[in-house]
PDB file of all heavy atoms in Angstrom:
ATOM      1  N   SER A 163      16.583   8.811  18.161  1.00 97.00           N
ATOM      2  CA  SER A 163      16.394   7.530  17.497  1.00 97.00           C
ATOM      3  C   SER A 163      15.322   6.683  18.069  1.00 97.00           C
ATOM      4  O   SER A 163      14.821   5.613  17.439  1.00 97.00           O
ATOM      5  CB  SER A 163      17.754   6.683  17.432  1.00 97.00           C
ATOM      6  OG  SER A 163      18.088   6.409  18.783  1.00 97.00           O
ATOM      7  N   ARG A 164      14.937   6.998  19.341  1.00 97.00           N
ATOM      8  CA  ARG A 164      13.867   6.174  20.029  1.00 97.00           C
ATOM      9  C   ARG A 164      12.447   6.591  19.750  1.00 97.00           C
ATOM     10  O   ARG A 164      11.533   6.053  20.264  1.00 97.00           O
ATOM     11  CB  ARG A 164      14.126   6.162  21.459  1.00 97.00           C
ATOM     12  CG  ARG A 164      15.498   5.652  21.946  1.00 97.00           C
ATOM     13  CD  ARG A 164      15.827   6.072  23.349  1.00 97.00           C
ATOM     14  NE  ARG A 164      16.006   7.536  23.535  1.00 97.00           N
ATOM     15  CZ  ARG A 164      16.371   8.206  24.521  1.00 97.00           C
ATOM     16  NH1 ARG A 164      16.426   7.414  25.742  1.00 97.00           N
ATOM     17  NH2 ARG A 164      16.501   9.369  24.581  1.00 97.00           N
ATOM     18  N   VAL A 165      12.426   7.611  18.882  1.00 97.00           N
ATOM     19  CA  VAL A 165      11.057   8.088  18.639  1.00 97.00           C
ATOM     20  C   VAL A 165      10.841   8.166  17.040  1.00 97.00           C
ATOM     21  O   VAL A 165      10.623   9.252  16.373  1.00 97.00           O
ATOM     22  CB  VAL A 165      10.938   9.621  19.153  1.00 97.00           C
ATOM     23  CG1 VAL A 165       9.382   9.990  19.085  1.00 97.00           C
ATOM     24  CG2 VAL A 165      11.512   9.750  20.617  1.00 97.00           C
ATOM     25  N   PRO A 166      10.720   6.849  16.477  1.00 96.00           N
ATOM     26  CA  PRO A 166      10.495   6.838  15.057  1.00 96.00           C
ATOM     27  C   PRO A 166       9.015   7.073  14.646  1.00 96.00           C
ATOM     28  O   PRO A 166       8.133   6.306  15.118  1.00 96.00           O
ATOM     29  CB  PRO A 166      10.905   5.351  14.742  1.00 96.00           C
ATOM     30  CG  PRO A 166      10.681   4.617  15.991  1.00 96.00           C
ATOM     31  CD  PRO A 166      10.709   5.638  17.089  1.00 96.00           C
ATOM     32  N   ALA A 167       8.735   8.140  13.846  1.00 97.00           N
ATOM     33  CA  ALA A 167       7.390   8.502  13.506  1.00 97.00           C
ATOM     34  C   ALA A 167       6.428   7.352  13.114  1.00 97.00           C
ATOM     35  O   ALA A 167       5.457   7.089  13.713  1.00 97.00           O
ATOM     36  CB  ALA A 167       7.434   9.689  12.556  1.00 97.00           C
ATOM     37  N   ASN A 168       6.850   6.737  11.995  1.00 96.00           N
ATOM     38  CA  ASN A 168       5.925   5.731  11.421  1.00 96.00           C
ATOM     39  C   ASN A 168       5.590   4.549  12.379  1.00 96.00           C
ATOM     40  O   ASN A 168       4.490   4.200  12.484  1.00 96.00           O
ATOM     41  CB  ASN A 168       6.524   5.133  10.194  1.00 96.00           C
ATOM     42  CG  ASN A 168       6.494   6.074   9.005  1.00 96.00           C
ATOM     43  OD1 ASN A 168       7.079   7.040   8.971  1.00 96.00           O
ATOM     44  ND2 ASN A 168       5.716   5.680   7.948  1.00 96.00           N
ATOM     45  N   GLU A 169       6.652   4.070  13.085  1.00 96.00           N
ATOM     46  CA  GLU A 169       6.458   2.947  13.984  1.00 96.00           C
ATOM     47  C   GLU A 169       5.509   3.302  15.123  1.00 96.00           C
ATOM     48  O   GLU A 169       4.604   2.427  15.371  1.00 96.00           O
ATOM     49  CB  GLU A 169       7.820   2.531  14.551  1.00 96.00           C
ATOM     50  CG  GLU A 169       8.537   1.656  13.497  1.00 96.00           C
ATOM     51  CD  GLU A 169       9.523   2.536  12.756  1.00 96.00           C
ATOM     52  OE1 GLU A 169       9.301   3.661  12.524  1.00 96.00           O
ATOM     53  OE2 GLU A 169      10.477   1.950  12.135  1.00 96.00           O
ATOM     54  N   ILE A 170       5.653   4.485  15.661  1.00 96.00           N
ATOM     55  CA  ILE A 170       4.921   4.866  16.873  1.00 96.00           C
ATOM     56  C   ILE A 170       3.369   4.828  16.584  1.00 96.00           C
ATOM     57  O   ILE A 170       2.513   4.238  17.429  1.00 96.00           O
ATOM     58  CB  ILE A 170       5.209   6.175  17.413  1.00 96.00           C
ATOM     59  CG1 ILE A 170       6.589   6.234  18.020  1.00 96.00           C
ATOM     60  CG2 ILE A 170       4.322   6.760  18.366  1.00 96.00           C
ATOM     61  CD1 ILE A 170       7.175   7.492  18.367  1.00 96.00           C
ATOM     62  N   VAL A 171       2.942   5.206  15.415  1.00 97.00           N
ATOM     63  CA  VAL A 171       1.570   5.241  15.052  1.00 97.00           C
ATOM     64  C   VAL A 171       1.101   4.165  14.087  1.00 97.00           C
ATOM     65  O   VAL A 171       0.103   4.138  13.503  1.00 97.00           O
ATOM     66  CB  VAL A 171       1.192   6.623  14.482  1.00 97.00           C
ATOM     67  CG1 VAL A 171       1.078   7.619  15.717  1.00 97.00           C
ATOM     68  CG2 VAL A 171       2.076   7.182  13.501  1.00 97.00           C
ATOM     69  N   GLY A 172       2.030   3.164  13.896  1.00 95.00           N
ATOM     70  CA  GLY A 172       1.728   1.973  13.118  1.00 95.00           C
ATOM     71  C   GLY A 172       1.501   2.312  11.699  1.00 95.00           C
ATOM     72  O   GLY A 172       0.584   1.784  11.160  1.00 95.00           O
ATOM     73  N   MET A 173       2.216   3.265  11.062  1.00 94.00           N
ATOM     74  CA  MET A 173       1.899   3.552   9.737  1.00 94.00           C
ATOM     75  C   MET A 173       3.020   3.120   8.731  1.00 94.00           C
ATOM     76  O   MET A 173       4.196   3.053   9.057  1.00 94.00           O
ATOM     77  CB  MET A 173       1.853   5.045   9.652  1.00 94.00           C
ATOM     78  CG  MET A 173       0.510   5.514  10.121  1.00 94.00           C
ATOM     79  SD  MET A 173       0.087   7.235   9.614  1.00 94.00           S
ATOM     80  CE  MET A 173      -1.549   7.356  10.484  1.00 94.00           C
ATOM     81  N   LEU A 174       2.565   2.763   7.566  1.00 91.00           N
ATOM     82  CA  LEU A 174       3.437   2.264   6.459  1.00 91.00           C
ATOM     83  C   LEU A 174       4.074   3.419   5.663  1.00 91.00           C
ATOM     84  O   LEU A 174       3.566   4.620   5.795  1.00 91.00           O
ATOM     85  CB  LEU A 174       2.654   1.424   5.504  1.00 91.00           C
ATOM     86  CG  LEU A 174       2.185   0.074   6.084  1.00 91.00           C
ATOM     87  CD1 LEU A 174       1.127  -0.572   5.101  1.00 91.00           C
ATOM     88  CD2 LEU A 174       3.376  -0.866   6.273  1.00 91.00           C
TER      89      LEU A 174
END
Side-chain angles (χ1 to χ4, degrees):
S163 64
R164 300 163 296 177
V165 194
N168 284 66
E169 281 89 338
I170 288 176
V171 284
M173 283 194 181
L174 288 167

